[in-house]
Amino acid sequence: MQFLKRLVVALACALTLGLACLLALLIQNPETEEHEHTWIIIFLVVLLLAGILIASCLYAIFKSQHYTEENEILNKQLDHEGTMYSRTSELYERTRRLNHDLKSYLLIILGYLENAEYEQARLHLVEILDRQLKMNLIHYESSGEINAVLNDKLSYAEQHAITLDMHISGEVPREDSMNVAILLSNLLDNAMEAAEKAELRKVQLEMYEEKGMYYIDIINTVNASVLHHNPKLQSTKKDKQQHGIGLKSVRHIVKQLEGSLQMFEEDDAFHSCVSFPMQKG
């Protein structure tokens, strides 16, 4: 695709140069014989038509690339939605199973207490707390999608020794919850990937509502300036085309939310800040 684009641009430049030369020839030699004059005009018309054809090809190429990028973003979002659905189902199943088992646990403890076996009751409670109820689950308002993302990222942070601080308030509009969940997933993935390379592995998430706007601020530690070495924030992974979709997806979602995205560095930390109106239009 890149080679084809360069070829078309080169041909367009060559045709433009040819047209300019022929026009200059006509202007400098007005006494040119009539048949030569006719052939030059015909050649100019052919060059003009070729230029129009090349312009049409360029437009088709750029349009095709735009549609390809749109499809990649949509496919990425579908993948995220599938993952979040799976995570939500998993959390629901774990909660349902725990509720089912809790009655049995309480009946066993009640039996110990009725028989005055207090030490056994205490040990059983300790076992339940250590083995059965050891789940650090986050419940964010009524959004199952956002809950799934936050719990998934918290689990990842714990497994990779990353401190993930979350301060969440306000309420994301229900119609925006899926978009916000996908946006959070992409930005938190990028933040934790960068934090893993830093000496102090820390990511901070703040979500809050203020004056009709909803704000999402994600801050992660860095060892060196990201924007200095990579101002366009291009993916540093081997599969650049695939891994570069995340930020495109974020920008696409921010546009859908009629919001804004800011990325900057301050005090050895990288900031990703999103804001959007609670009511659209």
Side-chain angles (χ1 to χ4, degrees), residues 168-205:
I168 303 170
S169 62
E171 186 172 346
V172 173
R174 186 71 192 98
E175 63 271 17
D176 295 331
S177 61
M178 178 59 76
N179 275 336
V180 170
I182 296 173
L183 183 146
L184 281 171
S185 181
N186 280 308
L187 289 179
L188 285 172
D189 280 346
N190 293 341
M192 287 194 285
E193 180 186 341
E196 282 187 86
K197 302 173 184 176
E199 292 182 9
L200 177 62
R201 296 184 168 192
K202 185 175 182 180
V203 176
Q204 183 175 340
L205 168 65

Side-chain angles (χ1 to χ4, degrees), residues 23 35 49 51 57 68 112 123 140 179-180 204 210 242 276:
L23 286 173
H35 72 280
L49 291 175
C57 290
T68 300
Y112 284 135
L123 291 174
Y140 173 75
N179 275 336
V180 170
Q204 183 175 340
E210 186 176 292
Q242 181 65 25
F276 59 89

